[in-house]
Amino acid sequence: MTATLEFRNGVLYLLDQTLLPLETVVIECREVAQVMEAIASLRVRGAPAIGCAGAYGGVVAAMRRADRGLRGDDLANATLRDFERIRQTRPTAVNLPWALGRMKTVVERHASEESDALIRALRDEADEILREDEEANRAIGRYGADLIANGAQVLTHCNAGALATGAYGTALGVIRAAHEQGRSLRVWVDETRPLLQGARLTAWELEQMGVPYTLITDSMAGHFMARGEVDVALVGADRIAANGDTANKIGTYSVAVLARAHGIPFYVAAPTSTIDLETANGESVPIEERRADEVGAFGSVRVAPAGARVANPAFDVTPARLITGIITERGVLRPPFAAALAGAVNAERVDRGSSDSERRPDAVGVEPG
Amino acid sequence: MTATLEFRNGVLYLLDQTLLPLETVVIECREVAQVMEAIASLRVRGAPAIGCAGAYGGVVAAMRRADRGLRGDDLANATLRDFERIRQTRPTAVNLPWALGRMKTVVERHASEESDALIRALRDEADEILREDEEANRAIGRYGADLIANGAQVLTHCNAGALATGAYGTALGVIRAAHEQGRSLRVWVDETRPLLQGARLTAWELEQMGVPYTLITDSMAGHFMARGEVDVALVGADRIAANGDTANKIGTYSVAVLARAHGIPFYVAAPTSTIDLETANGESVPIEERRADEVGAFGSVRVAPAGARVANPAFDVTPARLITGIITERGVLRPPFAAALAGAVNAERVDRGSSDSERRPDAVGVEPG
């Protein structure tokens, strides 16, 4: 599979996800404005992926500012202003401010050094964010695969695959891991209107993995649950609040309500970088409202009457009470989520502050397998 | 508004609903095959509308058979075979077999007469079916409007408007009646994938009525319910089983589950011609499976990977327990539905067997206002 994103020779290469699966086009971002446009228009999307893209966007920012002669504090300040512009491209996924927060710490630490040293440190940090993301996803896959019985029928919404992350995938990473472990499974793929990330991206990834799947419209999920053909629902996340309320692609909430009504477990798979302890609960998550024509038209094909009033929230919030478990790289968190989430995040903080082998899988509320 | 269907000078004129709202094209059906194609490809759709179209298709059938020289029993038998072919175009909506059942009775009654007399009797019966449908819809509108408070936010799925019926509409007829009575209301229009009858047809009808509406993807309904922005859900029906289980456009079931989870009343609006006492419950309703490319492509635009496996049930079944009331031309039926539905249908049988003013609004379980 072509990589979601790659940074080589000072250029951020992004697989243009708006064109998949019909065309495989890699775009080259040499300017911050290009990175911002790519994030805003969903050429790169998925919370962990835009975290990584934002981090590399930060490297590009510093490089271009240095090219234009800025040095020392001037370079640092201009770079931080660019970080802020990148951060504002999309409001809901917390991974973008999270990654840029790490990049900011690097700027502050290296502001007094030569510009080359600053840029190298930023590059190292972005690489580390990407590396950690892939590692986290693989761990999520291992923990999550244990929840998928042989022969399970799994329903997923939107795309939480390799395309949505640095690599491997979160919800789709769980499916991939179960498949790699030889388990037989079948996936119901919600097409995920309006932008059809399920039909375009998840179906494409599953096709490449060789995992059997059936594409359905979002409105069919309840029907197949009622027929007993869904054993587990599995989704990614854009932001998990401190109490476990989870913002994810619009329609996730409906899947969670339907799953509960049918006694089907509903799991969220996300790295701890998606957990935002600063956001108390779902009501505080900013929900991005996107352009009306994403709903009123389909690509270039107009469907609704001209001038139709449209609502287009890109995300919704699933309350913690509807979530069976949150699959992180630290293990599967179970309710009550507040303590478990704080434990998982703090365990991570301890990790990054210490030598890399001091993992804390015994954090509060974490199930280490 | 251009009429959904009209029969003039031996020709069935149908507004081609596959082209709305971008193009307003009226097609002319002079042959049974054209009527069948129009029903099968949804140029005319909606349970009551395909009942009416099927009835006029029956007139066309007898005319063409007579043109080709058939008379007496030969004409009657060939016409009945054509009815059977028309009936098989779509399996779920009961209005099609219901209307053709009425037409069959006319054939049987007039088989020994001159072919002109048979054709005239068939034409009269089809006209009567259309007239009754409009009358029923207006009564549904009156009864249903009483359920819509001033300022209400109503969510509807698919299109149950004038386009789906002979005239006026069922669920949208209720909205129309409330609007005509001067009530302020706002409608959430589910776009209704895969064929977007909400975005294309319901939005178009509401636009013409001047009723404020907001178009959303099907996956947004739960989100707006959770925000307290939906007061009542109102849908049409393709077949109501004897116990109240209701088959309607795929996604209706999810709306009903979501409505229940949020304490929102969920009403079905349908004429008694949609009630099928021969079908004991929802499990016995045949669910039409339509072509994969309706889901895998969007009009002419391919979205899913080539060869993606797709499920495309066109309908689902909402169990009676999730239905607050069924709005018919006899009044609003309330649970337990079995007695109420039988009462409403039997009242209708009494009606049609008697002089037209002997309505029985006091049928068992019927709320006469």
Side-chain angles (χ1 to χ4, degrees):
Chain A
M1 188 181 296
T2 313
T4 303
L5 78 175
E6 216 173 319
F7 192 82
R8 266 184 289 118
N9 305 322
V11 179
L12 175 60
Y13 295 89
L14 297 173
L15 181 55
D16 187 343
Q17 299 189 33
T18 64
L19 303 176
L20 287 175
L22 302 183
E23 293 176 66
T24 306
V25 173
V26 172
I27 57 170
E28 305 180 4
C29 300
R30 292 183 162 80
E31 299 290 341
V32 171
Q34 293 169 319
V35 177
M36 290 170 60
E37 192 278 337
I39 296 173
S41 60
L42 278 56
R43 299 188 200 287
V44 60
R45 33 62 54 199
I50 66 176
C52 296
Y56 284 117
V59 182
V60 170
M63 288 170 63
R64 291 299 88 79
R65 293 295 181 182
D67 286 350
R68 282 150 205 166
L70 295 187
R71 293 293 179 272
D73 281 351
D74 291 343
L75 173 59
N77 290 333
T79 300
L80 290 179
R81 284 196 301 276
D82 288 339
F83 287 9
E84 181 55 20
R85 291 163 59 217
I86 297 170
R87 188 188 65 75
Q88 289 175 358
T89 49
R90 297 197 72 195
T92 303
V94 76
N95 307 61
L96 188 56
W98 170 86
L100 289 164
R102 284 180 59 170
M103 298 295 280
K104 181 181 176 191
T105 302
V106 172
V107 171
E108 288 163 351
R109 196 178 300 146
H110 297 268
S112 59
E113 298 173 20
E114 290 294 315
S115 58
D116 280 1
L118 171 64
I119 290 166
R120 201 175 318 114
L122 285 170
R123 164 75 198 258
D124 288 346
E125 185 71 0
D127 285 346
E128 177 62 11
I129 287 171
L130 177 60
R131 192 195 63 72
E132 287 175 18
D133 188 58
E134 175 166 357
E135 188 179 285
N137 287 346
R138 290 184 181 275
I140 287 168
R142 283 192 300 275
Y143 286 123
D146 291 346
L147 304 169
I148 310 295
N150 193 41
Q153 304 203 64
V154 184
L155 183 134
T156 190
H157 189 75
C158 198
N159 172 269
L163 290 167
T165 60
Y168 204 77
T170 54
L172 229 47
V174 170
I175 288 165
R176 180 190 300 245
H179 176 67
E180 286 171 354
Q181 291 173 17
R183 237 154 292 170
S184 146
L185 69 168
R186 187 157 79 95
V187 182
W188 293 102
V189 178
D190 272 2
E191 64 173 3
T192 317
R193 277 282 285 157
L195 295 178
L196 299 164
Q197 291 92 339
R200 296 190 301 104
L201 309 179
T202 298
W204 185 73
E205 288 199 46
L206 290 170
E207 194 88 39
Q208 298 194 28
M209 286 182 216
V211 174
Y213 68 91
T214 305
L215 175 65
I216 57 175
T217 65
D218 306 323
S219 60
M220 293 174 192
H223 173 68
F224 288 107
M225 288 183 186
R227 291 165 62 122
E229 299 187 45
V230 178
D231 299 307
V232 56
L234 192 55
V235 299
D238 286 85
R239 186 186 301 222
I240 300 172
N243 72 340
D245 291 354
T246 295
N248 191 46
K249 178 57 54 200
I250 188 74
T252 302
Y253 171 64
S254 293
V255 171
V257 171
L258 288 162
R260 174 59 54 93
H262 296 86
I264 296 166
F266 176 90
Y267 288 99
V268 170
T272 50
S273 56
T274 305
I275 300 167
D276 179 17
L277 298 179
E278 306 297 307
T279 296
N281 56 52
E283 283 174 40
S284 319
V285 178
I287 300 293
E288 178 180 8
E289 178 79 20
R290 294 186 59 85
R291 291 198 326 267
D293 65 0
E294 291 181 355
V295 174
F298 189 91
S300 58
V301 184
R302 180 88 206 157
V303 288
R309 184 178 158 190
V310 165
N312 189 15
F315 304 92
D316 59 25
V317 172
T318 298
R321 66 180 162 77
L322 295 177
I323 301 170
T324 308
I326 300 174
I327 309 165
T328 74
E329 74 274 26
R330 311 264 150 193
V332 181
L333 314 186
R334 300 283 182 176
F337 288 116
L341 288 164
V345 170
N346 291 329
E348 186 195 35
R349 286 200 182 129
V350 169
D351 268 8
R352 257 196 290 128
S354 65
S355 67
D356 67 0
S357 60
E358 279 182 63
R359 299 275 162 192
R360 296 236 333 246
D362 56 337
V364 182
V366 175
E367 200 180 82
Chain B
M1 191 180 296
T2 313
T4 302
L5 77 176
E6 217 172 318
F7 192 81
R8 266 184 290 117
N9 306 324
V11 179
L12 176 59
Y13 295 89
L14 297 173
L15 180 56
D16 187 343
Q17 300 189 34
T18 63
L19 301 176
L20 287 175
L22 301 182
E23 293 177 65
T24 306
V25 172
V26 173
I27 58 169
E28 306 180 3
C29 300
R30 292 182 162 80
E31 299 289 342
V32 171
Q34 292 169 320
V35 178
M36 290 170 61
E37 191 278 337
I39 295 173
S41 60
L42 279 56
R43 299 188 199 287
V44 60
R45 30 65 53 199
I50 66 176
C52 295
Y56 283 117
V59 182
V60 170
M63 288 170 63
R64 291 301 86 80
R65 292 296 180 182
D67 287 350
R68 282 150 206 165
L70 296 187
R71 293 293 179 270
D73 280 352
D74 291 345
L75 174 59
N77 290 334
T79 300
L80 291 178
R81 284 196 301 276
D82 288 338
F83 287 8
E84 181 55 22
R85 291 164 60 218
I86 296 170
R87 188 187 67 74
Q88 289 175 356
T89 47
R90 297 197 73 194
T92 303
V94 77
N95 306 63
L96 188 56
W98 169 86
L100 289 164
R102 283 180 59 169
M103 298 296 279
K104 181 181 177 191
T105 303
V106 172
V107 171
E108 287 162 351
R109 197 177 298 149
H110 297 268
S112 59
E113 298 174 20
E114 290 294 316
S115 58
D116 280 1
L118 171 64
I119 291 166
R120 200 175 320 112
L122 286 170
R123 164 74 199 256
D124 288 347
E125 186 70 0
D127 285 346
E128 177 61 13
I129 288 170
L130 177 59
R131 192 195 63 72
E132 286 175 19
D133 188 57
E134 176 167 354
E135 188 179 285
N137 287 346
R138 289 185 182 275
I140 288 167
R142 283 191 300 275
Y143 286 123
D146 291 347
L147 303 169
I148 309 297
N150 194 42
Q153 304 202 65
V154 185
L155 183 134
T156 191
H157 188 75
C158 196
N159 172 268
L163 291 167
T165 61
Y168 204 77
T170 54
L172 229 47
V174 170
I175 287 164
R176 180 191 299 245
H179 176 67
E180 285 172 354
Q181 290 173 17
R183 238 154 291 169
S184 146
L185 68 169
R186 188 157 79 95
V187 182
W188 294 102
V189 178
D190 273 2
E191 65 172 3
T192 317
R193 278 282 285 157
L195 295 178
L196 299 164
Q197 291 91 339
R200 297 188 303 103
L201 308 178
T202 298
W204 185 73
E205 289 200 47
L206 291 170
E207 194 88 39
Q208 299 195 28
M209 284 183 217
V211 173
Y213 69 91
T214 304
L215 175 65
I216 56 175
T217 65
D218 306 323
S219 60
M220 293 175 192
H223 172 68
F224 288 108
M225 288 183 186
R227 291 166 61 122
E229 299 187 46
V230 178
D231 299 307
V232 56
L234 192 55
V235 300
D238 286 84
R239 187 185 302 222
I240 301 172
N243 72 341
D245 290 354
T246 295
N248 191 47
K249 179 56 55 199
I250 186 74
T252 301
Y253 170 63
S254 293
V255 171
V257 171
L258 288 162
R260 173 60 53 92
H262 295 88
I264 295 166
F266 176 90
Y267 287 99
V268 171
T272 51
S273 56
T274 305
I275 300 167
D276 179 16
L277 298 179
E278 306 297 307
T279 297
N281 57 50
E283 281 173 40
S284 319
V285 178
I287 299 293
E288 179 180 8
E289 179 78 20
R290 293 185 59 85
R291 292 200 324 269
D293 65 1
E294 291 181 354
V295 174
F298 193 95
S300 58
V301 185
R302 180 87 205 157
V303 289
R309 182 178 161 192
V310 165
N312 189 16
F315 303 93
D316 59 26
V317 172
T318 298
R321 67 181 162 77
L322 295 177
I323 301 171
T324 308
I326 300 175
I327 308 166
T328 74
E329 74 275 26
R330 313 263 149 193
V332 181
L333 313 187
R334 300 284 183 175
F337 288 117
L341 289 164
V345 170
N346 291 330
E348 185 194 38
R349 286 199 181 129
V350 169
D351 270 7
R352 258 198 288 128
S354 66
S355 66
D356 68 359
S357 61
E358 280 183 61
R359 297 276 162 193
R360 296 234 334 245
D362 57 336
V364 181
V366 175
E367 200 182 83

